[in-house]
Amino acid sequence: SQQGEEDPQALSIQEGENATMNCSYKTSINNLQWYRQNSGRGLVHLILIRSNEREKHSGRLRVTLDTSKKSSSLLITASRAADTASYFCATDAGAGKSTFGDGTTLTVKP
Amino acid sequence: GAVVSQHPSWVICKSGTSVKIECRSLDFQATTMFWYRQFPKQSLMLMATSNEGSKATYEQGVEKDKFLINHASLTLSTLTVTSAHPEDSSFYICSARDRVRGRNTEAFFGQGTRLTVV
């Protein structure tokens, strides 16, 4: 079964608003990564956060990690229509293989 | 940045035929590569771990005789879907991690292969 659960499953917002997605996992991890996937396409790597880090930023993206709660969040600020996609968290326990969450489908309306 | 190239990006084949998908790390070496499958509107599920020079490790429920994996070099892994059936239609994607950069770095994903079996 998937290790990660993401919430919400679907999120619809207006352009300019912020979008927050959450990911929970079950076992200890080495790092956690967030990916974006446009419909029918490959994965785009967004951010990697290591288990000893609590927060990382990249442009309009902010990721937090709380290892005590086994959870992570992805915040997209000032969203754009082009941010419309599915977003997945993926955990790596150290062996290199990724265990994906169920994903959040984000729709940003112009 | 590191690049993983997957080929073909899409393929349509007849039921009963076999299809080979290649995954190449273009500018790094990967002792281990991973194969995932994604059904429509679902998440990615790990199918198997491809190990250079040795047998692949398959996840529970994945038929090793159905999905043949070969990792003949440090830059190439292949997945062959044998005797494909319509239920094998899916998005297949591979990933690899740079063995030199080490354990706590991101895995790099190929662009995926859309397989349709008719």
Side-chain angles (χ1 to χ4, degrees):
Chain A
S1 62
Q2 292 293 96
Q3 156 149 261
E5 294 181 1
E6 289 183 60
D7 119 78
Q9 287 188 338
L11 180 61
S12 182
I13 58 175
Q14 292 294 135
E15 210 165 26
E17 294 180 341
N18 296 341
T20 299
M21 291 160 256
N22 302 295
C23 167
S24 61
Y25 56 93
K26 297 176 183 172
T27 62
S28 296
I29 62 171
N30 216 30
N31 62 65
L32 184 146
Q33 300 171 65
W34 284 91
Y35 293 89
R36 184 183 73 216
Q37 184 180 39
N38 290 84
S39 181
R41 308 288 290 275
L43 295 175
V44 174
H45 183 260
L46 298 177
I47 287 185
L48 176 150
I49 186 165
R50 296 178 174 81
S51 59
N52 62 351
E53 297 175 315
R54 293 295 167 257
E55 187 172 311
K56 283 189 87 167
H57 297 256
S58 177
R60 294 184 295 114
L61 306 179
R62 173 178 169 255
V63 167
T64 63
L65 178 65
D66 187 335
T67 52
S68 66
K69 295 181 179 177
K70 292 187 168 58
S71 68
S72 174
S73 68
L74 169 67
L75 168 68
I76 304 174
T77 60
S79 63
R80 304 166 182 169
D83 295 328
T84 294
S86 292
Y87 291 82
F88 294 93
C89 67
T91 55
D92 181 347
K97 59 183 177 182
S98 300
T99 303
F100 285 82
D102 295 327
T104 293
T105 300
L106 173 67
T107 303
V108 181
K109 300 174 185 176
Chain B
V3 176
V4 173
S5 174
Q6 196 170 331
H7 177 82
S9 55
W10 61 270
V11 58
I12 301 172
C13 72
K14 291 185 177 179
S15 208
T17 61
S18 295
V19 174
K20 180 185 283 188
I21 303 169
E22 292 186 347
C23 180
R24 292 181 185 274
S25 56
L26 296 187
D27 52 2
F28 66 95
Q29 293 181 332
T31 312
T32 306
M33 293 184 177
F34 305 93
W35 288 95
Y36 299 82
R37 180 169 56 186
Q38 184 182 35
F39 291 110
K41 299 189 186 304
Q42 294 188 26
S43 188
L44 289 84
M45 296 291 292
L46 179 67
M47 298 174 66
T49 302
S50 171
N51 304 297
E52 187 266 334
S54 65
K55 291 182 180 179
T57 306
Y58 290 82
E59 296 298 302
Q60 192 172 7
V62 178
E63 300 173 60
K64 61 180 180 181
D65 295 330
K66 172 82 172 171
F67 299 100
L68 300 179
I69 291 173
N70 184 277
H71 194 151
S73 76
L74 287 170
T75 58
L76 173 64
S77 174
T78 60
L79 168 69
T80 301
V81 183
T82 63
S83 188
H85 290 283
E87 55 265 31
D88 298 324
S89 297
S90 187
F91 189 65
Y92 293 87
I93 192 165
C94 67
S95 76
R97 192 171 61 182
D98 187 334
R99 72 182 188 125
V100 172
R101 290 182 62 211
R103 294 163 60 87
N104 208 4
T105 57
E106 70 267 36
F108 298 100
F109 282 81
Q111 64 269 47
T113 297
R114 172 78 54 196
L115 171 64
T116 303
V117 185
V118 297

